[in-house]
Amino acid sequence: MILTKAQYDEIAQCLVSVPPTRQSLRKLKQRFPSQSQATLLSIFSQEYQKHIKRTHAKHHTSEAIESYYQRYLNGVGRNGAAPVLLELANEVDYAPSLMARIILERFLQEHEETPPSKSVINSMLRDPSQIPDGVLANQVYQCIVNDCCYGPLVDCIKHAIGHEHEVLLRDMLLEKNLSFLDEDQLRAKGYDKTPDFILQVPVAVEGHIIHWIESKASFGDECSHQAYLHDQFWSYWNRLLSARWNPTTGLAPVAFVGPTWSP
């Protein structure tokens, strides 16, 4: 099903004032029953990430960090079993996993002899049982499992979905008897940055000659398209367009067209 720009804008507008919770997603599904859950979740996540990027700095001032930490300490001091950190994140409109990182870093700075490294923080967020404080470990865990846009759990889900889509795409290419090289094969030939698949024999799709395919298991809004063009697609275009047809690499020189979309 194709989502028009007007439909996308309507969904995005509905997300302006809702918190990033599963309850909000359920309400969104009720509002737009014709859209799949996956589409709504992807748009929801992308729009919220834009919001977080715009407001990130204000949550990382020394004053804000100290205020959040003292509110956390006061909250768990009254009731350590209450979702203090999760409620604090929702109150100040910040992603729970990112709030958990702020409080964890501040806690370790106070209780450890040396400042915590990024790898240590990431490891503790992936496995809160490593946190040397049971109450904080539970608070961080609550934030991780209730965050549908950020955090190690979301990263694992995104990675799994991306891998699943690559497998499905590979199966489709094999089913169509199309000859291709995948990322592993291309890296073995010395390419450091490659599409997911390069077709050894280009194919025509709706009037365009397709030489390579990049699988993205997320909704392609205008912002993400521009980012992918800058970070990946133009480099594919420039590198593959200047290549000469070679039966070893499977690269063709002309009529190269990257992925197309309808905004």
Side-chain angles (χ1 to χ4, degrees):
M1 180 179 179
I2 297 176
L3 188 70
T4 67
K5 179 68 164 55
Q7 289 173 317
Y8 172 83
D9 289 341
E10 184 181 3
I11 294 172
Q13 186 62 36
C14 289
L15 298 175
V16 172
S17 59
V18 299
T21 64
R22 291 178 176 82
Q23 291 78 11
S24 296
L25 279 172
R26 283 195 286 269
K27 293 178 181 178
L28 198 64
K29 180 60 178 174
Q30 293 171 359
R31 174 84 180 266
F32 302 97
S34 63
Q35 302 299 333
S36 71
Q37 183 78 6
T39 296
L40 294 174
L41 176 58
S42 186
I43 296 174
F44 186 97
S45 178
Q46 287 172 309
E47 289 298 311
Y48 187 69
Q49 288 173 31
K50 294 176 189 176
H51 168 71
I52 291 297
K53 289 177 182 178
R54 290 193 299 266
T55 60
H56 175 81
K58 75 175 185 179
H59 298 289
H60 283 262
T61 65
S62 57
E63 294 81 4
I65 291 173
E66 194 59 33
S67 172
Y68 296 158
Y69 188 58
Q70 293 303 320
R71 291 181 63 180
Y72 160 74
L73 292 177
N74 292 336
V76 296
R78 291 190 296 270
N79 184 358
V84 175
L85 208 49
L86 180 60
E87 291 178 352
L88 174 59
N90 290 334
E91 180 184 335
V92 301
D93 194 15
Y94 199 48
S97 293
L98 300 183
M99 178 61 75
R101 176 183 286 273
I102 287 177
I103 300 303
L104 177 58
E105 288 181 348
R106 177 65 179 80
F107 173 86
L108 293 176
Q109 288 171 0
E110 184 174 286
H111 292 83
E112 301 291 329
E113 295 181 358
T114 58
S117 66
K118 185 176 180 179
S119 62
V120 168
I121 296 293
N122 290 339
S123 180
M124 288 183 176
L125 290 173
R126 287 193 297 268
D127 179 11
S129 67
Q130 298 179 26
I131 298 174
D133 180 272
V135 173
L136 179 56
N138 182 54
Q139 294 287 327
V140 169
Y141 174 78
Q142 291 176 12
C143 287
I144 297 299
V145 299
N146 284 284
D147 194 328
C148 57
C149 296
Y150 282 92
L153 181 58
V154 172
D155 290 341
C156 287
I157 293 172
K158 287 182 178 179
H159 178 78
I161 292 174
H163 180 68
E164 178 188 8
H165 281 69
E166 289 180 15
V167 171
L168 291 172
L169 179 54
R170 175 191 295 274
D171 290 344
M172 292 174 65
L173 293 174
L174 291 172
E175 181 183 341
K176 300 296 183 180
N177 293 318
L178 297 177
S179 180
F180 62 86
L181 297 174
D182 62 22
E183 282 185 292
D184 292 336
Q185 292 170 313
L186 290 166
R187 289 196 181 100
K189 294 178 181 294
Y191 291 90
D192 59 341
K193 194 172 185 180
T194 70
D196 291 321
F197 298 96
I198 288 181
L199 303 181
Q200 292 183 291
V201 179
V203 298
V205 178
E206 297 183 355
H208 300 290
I209 305 301
I210 304 301
H211 288 248
W212 55 263
I213 302 172
E214 177 75 19
S215 173
K216 297 297 182 187
S218 60
F219 184 84
D221 64 357
E222 292 183 71
C223 182
S224 61
H225 279 316
Q226 290 301 319
Y228 287 136
L229 276 169
H230 179 270
D231 296 337
Q232 292 179 280
F233 297 159
W234 286 133
S235 66
Y236 299 162
W237 172 286
N238 294 330
R239 178 150 37 91
L240 303 184
L241 185 63
S242 62
R244 292 296 182 264
W245 174 255
N246 184 315
T248 301
T249 63
L251 304 184
V254 295
F256 176 82
V257 178
T260 60
W261 52 80
S262 297

